[in-house]
Amino acid sequence: MVGIAILGYGVVGSGVYEVIRKNAKSITRRAGTKIDIKHILDIRDFENHSEKNLFTKNFDDILTDTDVSVVVEVMGGVNPAYEFTKRALMAKKSVVTSNKELVATHGCELLKIASENKVHYLFEASVGGGIPIIRPLKLCLAANEITEITGILNGTTNYILTKMINNNKTMSDALKRAQEKGYAEKDPAADIDGIDAARKIAILASLAFGKFVDSAKIPVAGIRNVTLTDVEYAKKLECVIKLCGHCAALENGKVDVFVSPCFVSKESPLSTVDGVFNAILVKGNAVGDALFYGKGAGKLPTASAVVSDIIEIAKSGENTFSPVWEDKGDVLENPKNSVSKHFARIKAENKNEMRDKILSIFDNAQIIDIENGEIGFVTENMTAEGFNDGIEKLNVEVISTFLVLS
Amino acid sequence: MVGIAILGYGVVGSGVYEVIRKNAKSITRRAGTKIDIKHILDIRDFENHSEKNLFTKNFDDILTDTDVSVVVEVMGGVNPAYEFTKRALMAKKSVVTSNKELVATHGCELLKIASENKVHYLFEASVGGGIPIIRPLKLCLAANEITEITGILNGTTNYILTKMINNNKTMSDALKRAQEKGYAEKDPAADIDGIDAARKIAILASLAFGKFVDSAKIPVAGIRNVTLTDVEYAKKLECVIKLCGHCAALENGKVDVFVSPCFVSKESPLSTVDGVFNAILVKGNAVGDALFYGKGAGKLPTASAVVSDIIEIAKSGENTFSPVWEDKGDVLENPKNSVSKHFARIKAENKNEMRDKILSIFDNAQIIDIENGEIGFVTENMTAEGFNDGIEKLNVEVISTFLVLS
């Protein structure tokens, strides 16, 4: 018997409750013991809930209950989740969470506290919703040196971009549709501006490379300014526009990490990931490419990942507990050294002249001419600094730029 | 320090050796201890190997070495792997394997012996090569009732079908090409006739549903008779032909399992899995669809999966050991009750007459007319028995039939 408490009875919290009740039999078989919900913490009243006796508004009820060995933090946000998590870990209760903001911000410290107290801090649900990715990175791909990870990590922006690409909707129409369907918040900034994706790629990078990557320091570009003309250029290049989080281990020991809308080649398995789905492509030096795909959000998929963490703790017995990453200071490579192919749209009155100018500055650039008064081109692999220098030399108005991933 | 012995120094065995040597540092960090290769068993001589002192031809050297706690069985085939595995487990050494034939045939018994001796029998590499799938099914998706699994589980046949679809090669030309590239054996029967895929879907079904599914009793059709005309019909229906292994839990407690070439809708993420890649689509009642994609074979991907199992054992300490499936007798549903859409190509001299006849027998059948002297059609969902009865009533020569997966 493993006693648990759920902090927060919102979408994910009620999903966790539902999954544990609905799949009780198979969960008990797999965990080797019963998972027993002892308390649910929420500031709201649930008078009509069939198990209303489980609800409390006082965190101390949970902290002092020696029958509770696992605390499920699904409140979201940093406060009071941070405080509650710390206190639970220090009381030698394991904590399972879906809270990517907290993991990305304080994960390093919380993992350390967990390790010192010989309990777990697990967060499978923090990235990719129901997609198993954290545990495969820790266990299944443990034999590999992970060299890079590229992911479509935010379902809201992927839904919007898919609507633009497949249904010719403008950004604002697609956003409105996403809000109507409940895929986007009223204030969609965290999704649209890439902040959510940055937290997730920071967690993946920290885990893959074993060192803390600060999401606040990652260069992030969102999709707010993507237009249907950009989509057309991408099509011309056999690409689709996707908001990608990317991290790579560099030979100098640093880590290159960014979030950016990218032209993704139709040959990449990421190009076919549409709608609210997420996918994460991991490159390991032994396994080659491995892709994980599924629903990146939603009540039951996310709850499924939370409950899998609870089952792991129930099975783990006297297992070893170790921090998964450490703070090794500033590990981020200077973004200006980041190497990629680049796409740019620039104003061009005299197209022939501009074409020659582009080719004189960017070796072997590929020119795309599909619009009046402007010209597009793709560079070979080059540093961001080299690209920016070249653009400066061109001395023209830039309409938009994208990274190009093959 | 965890001492291991490798049985068989072929493609996978030498890959395991290479991965452990190459990634020693990160493996030690993740396992929390060093993985030490104590012996390599092979009947051949490796006089020029830089660590030739590790080689032995005598299994007893391994069995009696108390420093060896994990035996890596990568010999393939049932004998002598079965005997060696049993003896190792009974000597309280965990066994890790890539041997799908052995796991599919004797897995149930070997898991029981492992459990009785409080050691592990792990086989991540037996399905999907380097793709993490066994552990995600056991752990990550443990919160779900798995309802069905559909997989492209054999890289050889997928390579051949991809060449037929994308390059208009005939079956025999594509097979020849696969043999030249080392993707197909000289005697390709185990791949082409679906036997390899049957072993893998049997393992996945046993694991997902917790009861032993006998691969020898699964209805299996291979790709030997697939023609370029079949490929054309599939295209017309916005499908591609893939050799799929499929299993589903039925409400009556039985399990529906088959291996068959299928028309896979272009809307399915499985349709874009090309060449030697494998992919496995898992449906869980909480997570929805989750897809796992990667290299299904090859030295380093497979070795990567084997080594991940060794790392799990190294980390597991006094973990609980339980069999993952049990023999509950005959759990397979009678194949005639299996429900699917069906495609058939039949001889038709008088097409109008035949069209009417088809529609009078198969409600709402979709007719495809692209060839002289024949006609194709797709049924609604119906049992195999209903489909076969209908075909008998048509009383015509059948050219080919396929299941249709959406």
Side-chain angles (χ1 to χ4, degrees), chain A residues 30 143-144 291 293 315 319, chain B residues 30 144 291 293 315 319:
Chain A
R30 288 180 179 130
N144 290 261
L291 183 88
Y293 166 99
K315 280 175 72 98
N319 212 333
Chain B
R30 288 176 178 135
N144 290 258
L291 182 88
Y293 166 100
K315 281 176 72 100
N319 211 333

Side-chain angles (χ1 to χ4, degrees), chain A residues 113-400:
Chain A
I113 297 174
S115 171
E116 284 163 2
N117 287 280
K118 298 200 184 314
V119 290
H120 285 285
Y121 183 51
L122 299 184
F123 41 86
E124 180 61 66
S126 68
V127 180
I131 308 174
I133 179 64
I134 302 291
R135 199 172 288 107
L137 272 184
K138 271 199 299 185
L139 291 177
C140 310
L141 302 174
N144 290 261
E145 308 273 359
I146 306 289
T147 54
E148 56 180 276
I149 299 175
T150 311
I152 295 173
L153 300 166
N154 181 275
T156 307
T157 47
N158 202 49
Y159 175 85
I160 291 170
L161 290 170
T162 303
K163 280 278 158 205
M164 293 177 73
I165 295 163
N166 293 352
N167 305 98
N168 212 34
K169 299 256 181 235
T170 63
M171 164 68 57
S172 63
D173 282 354
L175 171 59
K176 213 174 291 166
R177 186 99 185 87
Q179 285 168 324
E180 282 162 17
K181 295 199 84 168
Y183 296 152
E185 312 270 337
K186 227 174 177 179
D187 174 6
D191 292 320
I192 299 287
D193 295 333
I195 299 160
D196 175 77
R199 286 174 187 143
K200 291 169 177 169
I201 195 69
I203 294 172
L204 293 177
S206 300
L207 198 60
F209 308 132
K211 29 198 169 193
F212 173 58
V213 169
D214 188 346
S215 68
K217 293 187 180 151
I218 297 175
V220 176
I223 66 163
R224 216 175 264 276
N225 301 318
V226 176
T227 66
L228 285 173
T229 315
D230 295 324
V231 170
E232 281 310 308
Y233 276 101
K235 273 189 190 154
K236 202 76 190 170
L237 286 162
E238 301 275 302
C239 289
V240 286
I241 301 180
K242 297 283 177 194
L243 182 67
C244 293
H246 176 84
C247 65
L250 303 177
E251 279 179 17
N252 64 6
K254 295 270 183 180
V255 178
D256 187 24
V257 192
F258 62 78
V259 170
S260 176
C262 297
F263 280 16
V264 177
S265 157
K266 286 199 175 150
E267 286 179 9
S268 163
L270 290 175
S271 67
T272 58
V273 177
D274 283 344
V276 291
F277 279 85
N278 281 197
I280 298 146
L281 183 64
V282 181
K283 282 185 203 286
N285 72 345
V287 76
D289 285 2
L291 183 88
F292 302 82
Y293 166 99
K295 289 215 180 89
K299 178 176 179 166
L300 293 183
T302 307
S304 152
V306 169
V307 175
S308 76
D309 279 344
I310 302 172
I311 292 173
E312 178 170 342
I313 294 170
K315 280 175 72 98
S316 74
E318 292 295 304
N319 212 333
T320 51
F321 301 89
S322 53
V324 225
W325 66 70
E326 287 168 57
D327 193 343
K328 299 193 176 173
D330 189 9
V331 296
L332 285 179
E333 173 68 324
N334 190 324
K336 72 181 186 188
N337 298 328
S338 183
V339 173
S340 178
K341 290 181 179 174
H342 296 261
F343 167 81
R345 276 171 67 194
I346 55 175
K347 292 269 186 199
E349 289 312 319
N350 184 332
K351 290 203 182 187
N352 282 335
E353 198 178 277
M354 188 55 79
R355 189 187 306 255
D356 291 344
K357 209 165 160 194
I358 293 168
L359 288 170
S360 74
I361 295 173
F362 296 99
D363 290 343
N364 301 312
Q366 181 186 351
I367 308 286
I368 307 102
D369 182 2
I370 57 171
E371 283 284 324
N372 285 331
E374 62 172 86
I375 207 163
F377 65 94
V378 181
T379 71
E380 296 192 301
N381 269 324
M382 61 191 309
T383 63
E385 185 175 37
F387 175 68
N388 290 333
D389 286 353
I391 289 288
E392 216 158 281
K393 272 187 216 155
L394 274 180
N395 193 23
V396 288
E397 188 181 330
V398 177
I399 303 164
S400 64

Side-chain angles (χ1 to χ4, degrees), chain A residues 19 22-27 29-31 124 130-133 135-146 207-210 269 272 277 281 285-295 300-305 307-309 311-312 314-320 322 324, chain B residues 19 22-27 29-31 124 130-133 135-146 207-210 269 272 277 281 285-295 300-305 307-309 311-312 314-320 322 324:
Chain A
V19 167
K22 192 165 75 176
N23 295 345
K25 218 174 120 187
S26 60
I27 289 172
R29 173 166 65 85
R30 288 180 179 130
E124 180 61 66
I131 308 174
I133 179 64
R135 199 172 288 107
L137 272 184
K138 271 199 299 185
L139 291 177
C140 310
L141 302 174
N144 290 261
E145 308 273 359
I146 306 289
L207 198 60
F209 308 132
T272 58
F277 279 85
L281 183 64
N285 72 345
V287 76
D289 285 2
L291 183 88
F292 302 82
Y293 166 99
K295 289 215 180 89
L300 293 183
T302 307
S304 152
V307 175
S308 76
D309 279 344
I311 292 173
E312 178 170 342
K315 280 175 72 98
S316 74
E318 292 295 304
N319 212 333
T320 51
S322 53
V324 225
Chain B
V19 167
K22 193 165 75 178
N23 295 345
K25 216 175 121 187
S26 60
I27 289 172
R29 171 166 68 85
R30 288 176 178 135
E124 179 61 66
I131 308 172
I133 178 64
R135 199 170 289 107
L137 273 185
K138 272 200 298 187
L139 291 177
C140 310
L141 303 173
N144 290 258
E145 309 273 0
I146 306 289
L207 198 60
F209 307 132
T272 58
F277 279 85
L281 183 63
N285 72 344
V287 76
D289 285 2
L291 182 88
F292 302 84
Y293 166 100
K295 288 217 180 87
L300 294 182
T302 309
S304 150
V307 175
S308 75
D309 278 345
I311 293 172
E312 178 170 342
K315 281 176 72 100
S316 74
E318 294 295 304
N319 211 333
T320 51
S322 53
V324 228

Side-chain angles (χ1 to χ4, degrees), chain B residues 63 102 117 125 134 173 250 343-344 378:
Chain B
L63 213 57
L102 185 59
N117 287 280
I134 301 290
D173 283 353
L250 303 177
F343 167 81
V378 180

